[in-house]
């Protein structure tokens, strides 16, 4: 599965795979990303993965043609990158107080609110990439029964921790922001902290599993996080 | 040090930006007009990445709490120290206690204040550039602006092409979705003027007019400063320094670096055209 290589302005390249959201493409992209990040540090500033493409930003003066011919060689194919995977459990309070759009979704999808929640909780979601806001995880694998289009007019403010649905994706607002995702609940966790060595709670390659908490437990966890004595529920699985 | 008496508009700390964190969804940020900001730093012998203050249409009013050397880089911003007019784009010495007043410009959008040594601002993820959501301080009335102490600086007489800003042609290359445009749409795109909309900001430049039809949204994919997007309703959006690293609109063109600086200086109400190179 070789990607198509395109110029992306003066100092960048774009690798494009089949234009679809799939786990096999995601794995290929991450393999390319890790290989390029580790092997070409001297000429690559950074790489940005998305669902079906990888942007490669090059240093000024980098030899683009030589780099492209390296990308086209089989060198890259030998590397195996991910041996294990984190499954991160994210607590979410799905009360209407936080799940602003649940009533409308229930009405338009003709599915009871409780079933929307249980369908959201049932899946394990791969983190495809981070974008939109610092640390914002794009999660694929949403149950197609609860897929729901973005709001026609974005809200001026969505609160930090809000869990949303946009089309067949789900995601978490890592900070207060305007936004058009349908909000179904809120997590009390901190998903981005620039002062940490690893600022993002979730990274591409992780699996996310949501679990339902009460308003009371939301508050308890919220203050544990604030006082830095919350320990994240997660496990590591071989892949 | 300076004390801020008036902030001006969208006055922020900026350096050359935050590299290496776009895969975490953290924008590049950094000065919009790199040519102008680097010019100011080199005149003072500063490092190219020294932190400067970027202001928009109206500059700040600052009281010098110590004697300092500065460069006000810009075109048309009427500026004074202690009520006496001072030149732009030259080193200006401000004695302790004097007030620097940077006025408005009707010619370009943004100006820069550089100080010998650079402003002393904390770094977050390797940069002092302001971006909401990161703990870089905002510049507010009453804020004290600290200055880094440096020895033995070596001023450079770097060139500064003021002629760049007279043009209204933005040089572009094809973006990843360019081939989805039909011939008529391409004709329209390269044979029209687009008027800068006043809602434009450090995230995106928007236009008053649109083209006759748009393109469908794409699966979220990488974007960068200078990416020209076409929305489903035919609107054009040019992404600027604070843009997100990924986006869902068709990427039809990509600005050349110099044209990016030019666009960042265009005042709302003026117009530009795209020229494929």
């Amino acid at each position: 599965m070789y990607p198509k290589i395109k110029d992306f302005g003066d100092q960048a390249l774009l690798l494009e795979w089949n234009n679809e959201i799939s786990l096999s493409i995601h794995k290929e992209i991450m393999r390319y990303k890790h290989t390029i990040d580790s092997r070409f540090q001297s000429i690559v500033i950074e790489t940005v993965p998305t669902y079906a493409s990888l942007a490669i930003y090059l240093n000024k003066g980098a030899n683009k043609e030589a780099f492209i011919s390296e990308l086209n060689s089989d060198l890259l194919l030998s590397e195996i990158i991910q041996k294990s995977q984190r499954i991160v459990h994210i607590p979410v309070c799905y009360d209407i107080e936080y799940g602003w759009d649940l009533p409308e979704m229930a009405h338009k999808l003709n599915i009871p609110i409780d079933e929307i929640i249980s369908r959201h909780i049932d899946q394990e979601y791969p983190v495809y990439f981070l974008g939109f806001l610092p640390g914002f995880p794009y999660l694929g694998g949403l149950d197609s029964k609860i897929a729901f289009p973005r709001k026609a007019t974005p809200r001026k403010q969505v609160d930090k921790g809000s869990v949303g649905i946009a089309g067949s994706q789900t995601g978490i607002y890592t900070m207060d922001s305007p936004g058009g995702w349908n909000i179904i609940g809120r997590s009390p966790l901190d998903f981005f902290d620039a002062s940490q060595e690893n600022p993002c709670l979730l990274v591409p390659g992780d699996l996310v599993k949501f679990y339902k908490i009460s308003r009371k437990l939301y508050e308890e966890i919220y203050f544990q996080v604030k006082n830095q004595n919350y320990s994240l529920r997660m496990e590591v699985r071989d892949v | 040090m300076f004390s801020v008496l008036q902030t001006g508009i969208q006055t922020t700390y900026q350096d050359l930006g935050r590299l290496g964190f776009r895969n975490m969804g953290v924008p590049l940020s950094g000065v919009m007009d790199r040519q102008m900001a680097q010019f100011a730093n080199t005149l003072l012998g500063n490092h190219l990445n020294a932190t400067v203050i970027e202001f928009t249409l109206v500059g700040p009013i600052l009281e010098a709490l110590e004697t300092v050397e500065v460069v006000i880089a810009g075109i048309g911003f009427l500026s004074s120290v202690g009520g006496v007019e001072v030149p732009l784009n030259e080193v200006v010495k401000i004695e302790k206690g004097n007030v620097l007043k940077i006025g408005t410009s009707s010619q370009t959008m943004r100006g820069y204040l550089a100080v010998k040594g650079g402003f002393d601002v904390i770094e977050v993820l390797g940069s002092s550039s302001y971006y909401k959501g990161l703990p870089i301080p905002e510049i507010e009335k009453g804020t004290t602006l600290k200055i880094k102490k440096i020895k033995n600086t070596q001023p450079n007489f770097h060139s500064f092409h003021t002629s760049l800003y007279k043009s209204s042609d933005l040089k572009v290359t094809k973006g990843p979705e360019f081939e989805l445009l039909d011939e008529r749409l391409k004709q329209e795109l390269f044979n029209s003027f687009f008027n800068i909309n006043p809602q434009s900001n450090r995230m995106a430049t928007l236009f008053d007019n649109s083209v006759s039809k748009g393109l469908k949204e794409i699966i979220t994919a990488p974007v960068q400063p200078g990416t020209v997007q076409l929305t489903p309703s035919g609107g054009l959006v040019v992404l600027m320094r604070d843009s997100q690293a990924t986006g869902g609109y068709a990427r039809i063109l990509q600005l050349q670096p110099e044209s990016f600086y030019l666009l960042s200086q265009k005042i709302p109400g003026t117009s530009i055209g795209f020229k494929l190179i």
Side-chain angles (χ1 to χ4, degrees):
Chain A
M1 212 177 352
Y2 284 105
K4 209 190 288 172
I5 303 177
K6 285 186 180 174
D7 264 328
F8 191 30
D10 251 14
Q11 293 299 320
L13 290 170
L14 196 61
L15 308 192
E16 289 184 336
W17 282 261
N18 271 347
N19 197 21
E20 59 183 50
I21 300 177
S22 87
L23 215 45
S24 60
I25 288 174
H26 168 66
K27 284 180 178 157
E28 264 310 275
I29 291 176
M30 293 317 288
R31 201 160 63 95
Y32 268 81
K33 174 175 168 47
H34 285 274
T35 311
I36 293 165
D37 288 349
S38 58
R39 266 204 214 167
F40 299 97
Q41 278 174 5
S42 58
I43 56 167
V44 172
I45 298 172
E46 56 188 317
T47 53
V48 178
T50 56
Y51 286 116
S53 42
L54 179 68
I56 306 172
Y57 296 103
L58 300 168
N59 280 318
K60 238 187 181 149
N63 184 339
K64 236 183 188 178
E65 281 65 39
F67 179 64
I68 290 172
S69 68
E70 294 231 43
L71 285 180
N72 279 324
S73 74
D74 281 342
L75 272 179
L76 285 163
L77 296 177
S78 57
E79 314 236 339
I80 300 165
I81 49 119
Q82 200 176 6
K83 289 191 177 128
S84 61
Q85 184 168 39
R86 300 195 309 167
I87 296 109
V88 184
H89 297 268
I90 304 293
V92 177
C93 176
Y94 291 92
D95 288 6
I96 305 294
E97 182 188 352
Y98 296 142
W100 302 335
D101 296 312
L102 281 172
E104 192 198 341
M105 286 176 67
H107 178 70
K108 290 201 174 144
L109 294 170
N110 200 20
I111 297 175
I113 287 178
D114 283 349
E115 190 183 328
I116 294 176
I117 297 168
S118 63
R119 286 182 184 275
H120 191 251
I121 286 168
D122 275 350
Q123 307 291 320
E124 281 182 348
Y125 302 99
V127 178
Y128 278 87
F129 61 96
L130 307 176
F132 175 46
L133 293 172
F136 183 105
Y138 279 81
L139 307 173
L142 186 72
D143 183 330
S144 60
K145 288 228 167 57
I146 58 169
F148 204 76
R150 272 190 182 83
K151 302 190 87 62
T153 312
R155 285 193 170 95
K156 288 227 165 64
Q157 175 159 319
V158 175
D159 294 67
K160 177 190 158 194
S162 292
V163 176
I165 286 177
S168 59
Q169 320 166 93
T170 180
I172 308 162
Y173 282 76
T174 53
M175 47 186 68
D176 294 349
S177 161
W181 292 46
N182 302 281
I183 304 306
I184 60 168
R186 196 181 298 175
S187 173
L189 303 190
D190 264 341
F191 293 90
F192 183 83
D193 180 353
S195 69
Q196 300 293 318
E197 197 190 332
N198 298 310
C200 303
L201 184 77
L202 298 168
V203 295
D206 286 345
L207 279 178
V208 169
K209 189 94 167 77
F210 293 106
Y211 67 99
K212 186 181 167 179
I213 56 170
S214 66
R215 176 68 170 71
K216 189 164 173 293
L217 190 52
Y218 176 94
E219 243 170 68
E220 277 174 34
I221 297 177
Y222 180 89
F223 284 104
Q224 284 170 16
V225 170
K226 212 174 164 188
N227 301 325
Q228 297 184 321
N229 55 16
Y230 177 77
S231 54
L232 188 63
R233 265 180 63 188
M234 60 159 221
E235 67 227 49
V236 177
R237 190 189 289 166
D238 289 340
V239 287
Chain B
M1 291 195 293
F2 285 106
S3 175
V4 179
L5 306 181
Q6 295 285 339
T7 59
I9 298 177
Q10 287 174 30
T11 302
T12 56
Y13 293 117
Q14 298 292 341
D15 54 22
L16 296 183
R18 198 164 272 115
L19 293 174
F21 298 93
R22 278 184 279 184
N23 66 328
M24 295 183 186
V26 180
L28 271 181
S29 301
V31 290
M32 293 273 273
D33 184 349
R34 185 177 275 227
Q35 173 185 259
M36 203 179 254
Q38 287 188 339
F39 161 78
N41 271 328
T42 51
L43 268 192
L44 290 160
N46 289 346
H47 192 280
L48 288 179
N49 194 35
T51 303
V52 299
I53 284 175
E54 179 178 280
F55 47 88
T56 312
L57 291 172
V58 182
I61 302 175
L62 308 173
E63 182 186 349
L65 304 179
E66 62 188 305
T67 299
V68 288
E69 285 179 48
V70 303
V71 170
I72 307 149
I75 298 172
F77 288 95
L78 199 62
S79 300
S80 63
V81 172
V84 181
E85 190 178 337
V86 292
L88 300 177
N89 309 316
E90 286 178 28
V91 177
V92 173
K93 193 170 180 182
I94 307 174
E95 301 292 340
K96 180 178 174 178
N98 271 335
V99 171
L100 165 66
K101 187 173 173 187
I102 304 174
T104 62
S105 173
S106 57
Q107 297 173 55
T108 54
M109 189 73 176
R110 293 181 168 86
Y112 294 90
L113 175 68
V115 60
K116 197 178 184 81
F119 287 97
D120 190 2
V121 187
I122 56 156
E123 286 190 3
V124 177
L125 304 176
S127 165
S128 296
S129 293
Y130 177 78
Y131 178 70
K132 64 169 175 41
L134 297 181
I136 300 287
E138 290 187 33
I139 296 175
E140 293 167 327
K141 199 169 173 175
T143 303
T144 300
L145 311 177
K146 292 185 197 150
I147 300 164
K148 282 187 180 166
K149 295 277 169 271
I150 51 160
K151 299 164 196 161
N152 303 328
T153 59
Q154 196 61 62
N156 260 308
F157 296 93
H158 184 85
S159 61
F160 175 58
H161 309 286
T162 52
S163 60
L164 169 74
Y165 304 106
K166 294 198 178 90
S167 170
S168 55
D169 285 336
L170 301 183
K171 291 178 188 153
V172 294
T173 53
K174 294 174 183 176
E177 279 75 52
F178 181 80
E179 299 307 336
L180 299 179
L181 300 169
D182 62 31
E183 277 312 310
R184 240 193 75 196
L185 208 47
K186 286 180 193 168
Q187 285 294 320
E188 210 182 319
L189 194 57
F190 296 120
N191 293 295
S192 310
F193 280 122
F194 297 96
N195 304 317
I196 312 275
N197 184 284
Q199 303 267 338
S200 302
N201 56 29
R202 286 184 46 89
M203 279 175 79
T205 300
L206 309 172
F207 302 93
D208 296 330
N209 48 329
S210 43
V211 291
S212 55
K213 61 179 186 182
L215 286 176
K216 272 202 309 200
E217 285 192 32
I218 59 169
I219 296 179
T220 302
V223 293
Q224 57 174 318
T227 299
V228 184
Q229 297 174 314
L230 179 60
T231 69
S233 59
L236 290 170
V237 177
V238 185
L239 298 177
M240 306 306 281
R241 295 293 302 194
D242 282 349
S243 94
Q244 295 149 17
T246 62
Y249 293 133
R251 302 154 295 175
I252 55 169
L253 301 170
Q254 182 68 40
L255 256 55
Q256 288 284 293
E258 286 213 340
S259 291
F260 183 90
Y261 311 148
L262 170 61
L263 180 61
S264 73
Q265 292 291 12
K266 286 288 171 194
I267 289 183
T270 60
S271 57
I272 55 91
F274 297 105
K275 199 173 166 191
L276 195 61
I277 56 160

